[in-house]
Amino acid sequence: DAGVIQSPRHEVTEMGQEVTLRCKPISGHDYLFWYRQTMMRGLELLIYFNNNVPIDDSGMPEDRFSAKMPNASFSTLKIQPSEPRDSAVYFCASSLGVVTEAFFGQGTRLTVV
Amino acid sequence: ILNVEQSPQSLHVQEGDSTNFTCSFPSSNFYALHWYRWETAKSPEALFVMTLNGDEKKKGRISATLNTKEGYSYLYIKGSQPEDSATYLCAFMNTGFQKLVFGTGTRLLVSP
């Protein structure tokens, strides 16, 4: 397996624009996680899915953020409208179980200007 | 809010030195403790998943211990090498939250 695949690797957008980040988890993994990494807060969990169902979205900062997992092999994280303070590296990770090791993608570096 | 603390924040050692870092977490309702290694410009990679009090795990020169009653875990690196330079993250999960809460990491630099 190629591991967790995220796209794009880098995204630069203007304030107010919609941004969509994509993730393909490892095949067979039932859990998918979206994390955001910032200098101030470190690595923080935004939302996670179990068998394509959102389980905990308490980490999603605002209504501007939404995430979907239409099937077992694809998830999106959308920010609409984007703001400069959303600039961060966004990681997707997947795992077999909620307590087992998480495998991270390469991350998407988002810059909102 | 769960608080996961790691110390020291950063560490600079010479090649061949042995070193250790600490991860502190709430001692109640423990479920699991993870250690990850995060190299610059890469993504975090799992080192260990620990679930039982007294657990000791080892992978090559790196080992970890777990004390759930007092709420800490130690990560040890024996004979540090420059390729060990990375940020080491611990992440805690309790039975209530059932999601990983990450510490801010210990940044290790090993000089040749």
Side-chain angles (χ1 to χ4, degrees):
Chain A
D1 201 311
V4 176
I5 300 173
Q6 291 186 246
S7 64
R9 292 291 304 275
H10 303 273
E11 177 81 36
V12 180
T13 190
E14 291 186 346
M15 183 173 64
Q17 296 297 306
E18 177 180 295
V19 175
T20 299
L21 312 182
R22 296 173 176 79
C23 175
K24 182 181 188 307
I26 292 173
S27 177
H29 281 191
D30 291 333
Y31 287 83
L32 183 139
F33 308 86
W34 281 101
Y35 289 91
R36 178 171 68 174
Q37 190 238 346
T38 62
M39 290 295 292
M40 292 294 293
R41 300 170 71 100
L43 199 60
E44 53 179 343
L45 180 67
L46 300 177
I47 184 171
Y48 80 92
F49 296 83
N50 178 23
N51 291 322
N52 315 336
V53 176
I55 302 300
D56 187 333
D57 66 354
S58 58
M60 296 285 260
E62 303 170 31
D63 291 345
R64 299 183 296 106
F65 285 68
S66 63
K68 293 182 181 179
M69 192 166 185
N71 57 62
S73 59
F74 183 65
S75 177
T76 59
L77 178 68
K78 186 177 293 186
I79 308 173
Q80 165 64 19
S82 57
E83 297 182 3
R85 60 193 167 118
D86 301 331
S87 298
V89 181
Y90 291 81
F91 285 98
C92 175
S94 70
S95 67
L96 282 170
V98 71
V99 74
T100 57
E101 64 180 293
F103 292 81
F104 283 78
Q106 293 296 304
T108 295
R109 182 175 294 277
L110 173 66
T111 303
V112 183
V113 298
Chain B
I1 296 177
L2 294 180
N3 207 21
V4 180
E5 296 188 356
Q6 292 189 247
S7 62
Q9 197 170 24
S10 63
L11 198 53
H12 185 186
V13 302
Q14 296 297 311
E15 182 176 356
D17 289 348
S18 293
T19 186
N20 66 85
F21 345 119
T22 305
C23 173
S24 301
F25 51 85
S27 57
S28 58
N29 303 318
F30 176 86
Y31 196 20
L33 192 285
H34 292 206
W35 280 100
Y36 290 83
R37 169 192 158 89
W38 194 356
E39 291 183 69
T40 303
K42 295 186 177 180
S43 52
E45 291 184 349
L47 288 171
F48 306 114
V49 175
M50 308 173 82
T51 56
L52 298 174
N53 184 43
D55 251 356
E56 292 190 23
K57 302 266 185 172
K58 188 175 181 182
K59 185 182 289 189
R61 294 179 291 99
I62 305 176
S63 60
T65 61
L66 178 67
N67 184 325
T68 61
K69 295 186 187 305
E70 297 183 39
Y72 64 83
S73 175
Y74 293 140
L75 188 79
Y76 300 91
I77 302 179
K78 184 178 179 182
S80 303
Q81 299 296 309
E83 58 264 30
D84 296 329
S85 298
T87 295
Y88 291 83
L89 294 170
C90 71
F92 165 77
M93 181 184 294
N94 75 359
T95 53
F97 272 124
Q98 299 235 336
K99 59 186 179 185
L100 284 176
V101 177
F102 280 84
T104 51
T106 292
R107 184 175 297 179
L108 174 67
L109 177 63
V110 183
S111 295

